[in-house]
Amino acid sequence: PKDTVLLGHGGGGRLMQQLLEGLILPAFRNPALDRRHDGAVVEFGGERVAFTTDSYVVHPLFFPGGDIGRLAVHGTLNDLAMCGAKPRYLSAGLIIEEGLPMADLGRIVESMRQAAAAAGVSLVTGDTKVVDRGKGDGLFINTAGLGVVPPGVDVGPDRLRAGDVIILNGDIGRHGMAIMAQREGLAFESTIVSDTADLSGLVAATVAAGVDMHCLRDCTRGGLGASLIELAETAGLHIRLREAAVPVVEPVRGACEILGLDPLYVANEGRCVLMVPPHEVAPALAAWRAHPEGRGACVIGEVGDPRRGGGGVTVESQIGTERLLDLFSGEQLPRIC
Amino acid sequence: MDWTVGGDGVMCLAVPGRIESIREGGLLDRVGRVSFGGSIRDVNLAFVPEACVGHYVIVHVGFALSVVDEDEARRTLEDIRLIESGPAQTDDTRPRPL
Amino acid sequence: MKHIDEYRGREQARTLAAAIARHVTRPWTIMEVCGGQTHAIVRFGIDSMLPPAITLLHGPGCPVCVTSLDLIDKAIAIASRADVIFCSFGDMLRVPGSCQDLLSVKAAGGDVRILYSPMDALQVARDNPHKQVVMFAVGFETTAPATAMAIHQARTQGLTNFYVLVAHVLVPPAIATILGAPGNRVQAFLAAGHVCAVMGYSEYEPLARQFKVPIVVTGFEPVDILQGILRCVIQLEAGRAVVENAYARAVRRDGNTGAQTLMRDVFHVVPRQWRGVGSIASSGLGLTPAYARMDAERHFGLSAISAAEPSACISGLILQGQKKPHECPAFGKACTPEHPWGATMVSAEGACAAYYRYRRTEPVGAGAEGPA
């Protein structure tokens, strides 16, 4: 029966897009939501406040490079940062499954504390619920965040202009494959560590450098590919991506090859793209490369291809040919063929 | 479950990997630790008894199907260099062993 | 990555494309049999590097495309049982049966698991003695040896809760069907490199002689595919029709004799229904009597299940290279990856899905070749 929710509706692909466009977004039409960005920016007493929320259902709870707690805090810090905001306050809702070892919960809360402290934000409110065994996969976390958008900073898909250059802050595919490596049945031994990281410092450094940022987007569920496709569609502009310019470390490439996966669509948790006008490329790259989360910064493409109408992403392949990057439908499954 | 990794289909997805070590069992369950760019999987070597550490093998659904012939690999790339340099018509019709 | 990156070089690809253009004097139609090659052609835009005279047709080369509707419905019936753990490769989960797919069965509570290797299914069976563990064994001769090993080991280890729904198919009978069909347009074949890594390529020699068609064993990287096309063009232009091995680093003439021996012990050749094409004699593998106890179709008594394919769908003609995806009225409208009709739209490997993903901005009717 096609009338039930499938795993694919959460996969960051076309099914998820249809769920949002067809059922959820129409119920709440308003300007802030319609901007369709990682977070919303609203006016409060003369200040532009960024507000965002995200839920974390990762399994396993602990993985190379982090855990669900660190992921949850970083994810919301990053969503605020993608609005150009400086994060200030967080909330956390824990949905705990009966039977989760208290020691595990302790480790996760401690990594949430560390991640918030490192970013100089305070967790000011929250909620805790416990569900019956078998109803919760160990632990789910929802986090929400508030931040302030400094004056002069306006970041969003509507500011994209033809000619803008796309900068990526590092190699892709590490989070998704770090999780996949633990997956029972597909397990492989690898040195791959999740890239989960707080990007708010990177964005703050870019603001401090006076760079005119047109748009920022983190490349989480659905990877770099889905992020660029969504941005192109929202902004009604065409994007050109040079596949050879996108860094992928060898262990991630190897894992993707054996599972038949394309790194462009693999989830990241510490990667984002910045779109700036051409004259801002040098200062933006300098600001990013001077920051721990931007050391691998590189130019991977441009916005606006006059030969093409609105929306869509063209990829220049490694051998110089072109193809249209298409959003996968449900979710990507490892395959033999 | 966080399944969000990207991917398309290929009919017989088989990938070359380097044998790092071999656990000798009975012939049917001789298993190699094979590295694919640093990501390592156990691979059943039953179908390639001649394979040993340092060899590259073509791996499909956890099984090695053949050992990569390094000389043929070099010859394939050499053929292309011949096309690049050599005259257009005859160079690449050199009789090849069938 | 060694033995991959060397065959994705921009210069080598250009050199080979230029060599192909130099040799071509008239139009030629070449079919790549294998979905893996289709994927590489479309992902690396190889057809846009070729002279317009060359037409590449995508053959019946992916298990997702060719597995019959009956077998999908049987898989769904088994996976829906509460006492079953159903193991399958990820590819098969989205393939639509008559009314649903395995993903919907999973969403409704069925225990459907994705595995990387058939041997993993044995471990599932060992870990769940109270469950009936069933593996969906799809794929061509490349995958059959792995299934054979799992079945062989299941018997030697006395696993009594392990069953296999066998859907393996063979390439040569499919090629013979395509070449023998009236209206066949295929003049040369790129044979599937990894199928030949297992079976060798001697079984293609009678086909090349009988149908006077060059058959070139080809790999999967862009440079490999361009090599295969170049070898085909050179033969076509010279009026030759022999089997050539352009994937010598992985394929030898006799293939993998150890794998073939095990396959002969576990399987025998049977007629098989191909989705969109119909039944082809001796084109499938079934369990030999010694292993019949593990045959899921027999064990769950499913022979009664049969289903007719939607008539408006022309995936059979596309699979046989007689039509191109954009020549179908439903392409990109009623039939999309989200609501696929035929299997060639279901699989990301299928010709229709590949066209939809990479080409759908192509105006209907224009040749698919030429820059995107």
Side-chain angles (χ1 to χ4, degrees), chain C residues 150 159 192 195 224:
Chain C
L159 276 177
V195 167
D224 291 319

Side-chain angles (χ1 to χ4, degrees), chain C residues 11-280:
Chain C
E11 287 328 307
Q12 289 102 330
R14 282 224 177 85
T15 301
L16 288 165
I20 292 169
R22 278 201 306 275
H23 280 84
V24 168
T25 62
R26 72 192 92 135
W28 298 111
T29 297
I30 300 172
M31 172 175 275
E32 87 280 351
V33 170
C34 159
Q37 291 162 338
T38 305
H39 173 66
I41 287 166
V42 181
R43 179 177 177 192
F44 288 99
I46 291 173
D47 50 2
S48 67
M49 301 179 79
L50 300 175
I54 301 285
T55 299
L56 284 183
L57 294 180
H58 310 314
C62 74
V64 169
C65 293
V66 300
T67 304
S68 70
L69 200 52
D70 294 358
L71 271 169
I72 302 294
D73 284 350
K74 287 171 184 173
I76 287 168
I78 296 173
S80 307
R81 294 172 59 107
D83 57 350
V84 160
I85 297 175
F86 193 81
C87 300
S88 168
F89 296 124
D91 319 51
M92 300 307 292
L93 264 56
R94 269 203 297 266
V95 180
S98 302
C99 47
Q100 56 173 325
D101 56 28
L102 286 166
L103 279 180
S104 332
V105 171
K106 181 173 181 299
D111 189 337
V112 177
R113 299 185 190 184
I114 291 176
L115 47 79
Y116 168 69
S117 166
M119 301 302 278
D120 302 337
L122 292 191
Q123 192 55 49
V124 174
R126 278 191 287 268
D127 296 346
N128 299 275
H130 52 283
K131 288 270 184 176
Q132 305 195 80
V133 176
V134 182
M135 181 173 75
F136 198 9
V138 295
F140 287 75
E141 296 92 326
T142 317
T143 315
T147 305
M149 180 66 85
I151 291 170
H152 179 78
Q153 299 243 22
R155 194 178 70 153
T156 47
Q157 293 165 18
L159 276 177
T160 53
N161 64 328
F162 179 73
Y163 303 92
V164 182
L165 181 58
V166 185
H168 286 306
V169 278
L170 305 173
V171 170
I175 288 185
T177 300
I178 291 170
L179 288 173
N184 165 52
R185 293 166 50 206
V186 180
Q187 297 165 305
F189 271 91
L190 303 185
H194 294 140
V195 167
C196 296
V198 175
M199 303 303 289
Y201 50 82
S202 51
E203 57 183 359
Y204 294 89
E205 284 154 357
L207 291 171
R209 274 195 301 276
Q210 178 190 348
F211 294 99
K212 296 194 179 33
V213 160
I215 299 178
V216 178
V217 179
T218 304
F220 294 79
E221 297 304 331
V223 164
D224 291 319
I225 288 172
L226 288 163
Q227 278 269 23
I229 294 169
L230 176 59
R231 295 280 194 79
C232 282
V233 166
I234 290 170
Q235 281 202 49
L236 287 166
E237 291 287 344
R240 288 168 51 230
V242 294
V243 176
E244 264 191 87
N245 182 7
Y247 192 38
R249 67 180 185 278
V251 174
R252 279 160 275 293
R253 188 168 185 279
D254 307 331
N256 187 314
T257 46
Q260 290 165 36
T261 306
L262 185 63
M263 280 166 69
R264 273 194 297 277
D265 170 45
V266 173
F267 299 122
H268 55 219
V269 176
V270 295
R272 177 75 81 214
Q273 186 75 17
W274 290 56
R275 190 166 188 168
V277 178
S279 181
I280 303 178

Side-chain angles (χ1 to χ4, degrees), chain A residues 186 256-262 332-337, chain B residues 3 6-14 60-61, chain C residues 36 39 43 64 88-92 94 114-116 347-349:
Chain A
L186 302 174
C256 284
E257 288 286 344
I258 54 176
L259 295 174
L261 303 172
D262 182 345
Q332 297 307 291
L333 305 171
R335 23 165 212 81
I336 63 154
C337 113
Chain B
W3 271 110
D8 317 300
V10 283
M11 172 173 140
C12 343
L13 179 75
H60 175 64
V61 297
Chain C
H39 173 66
R43 179 177 177 192
V64 169
S88 168
F89 296 124
D91 319 51
M92 300 307 292
R94 269 203 297 266
I114 291 176
L115 47 79
Y116 168 69
S347 147
E349 271 326 287

Side-chain angles (χ1 to χ4, degrees), chain A residues 3 18 38 82 129 183 197 209 310 326:
Chain A
D3 47 15
Q18 285 162 2
D38 294 316
M82 294 306 112
K129 294 283 186 300
R183 173 80 13 90
D326 190 66

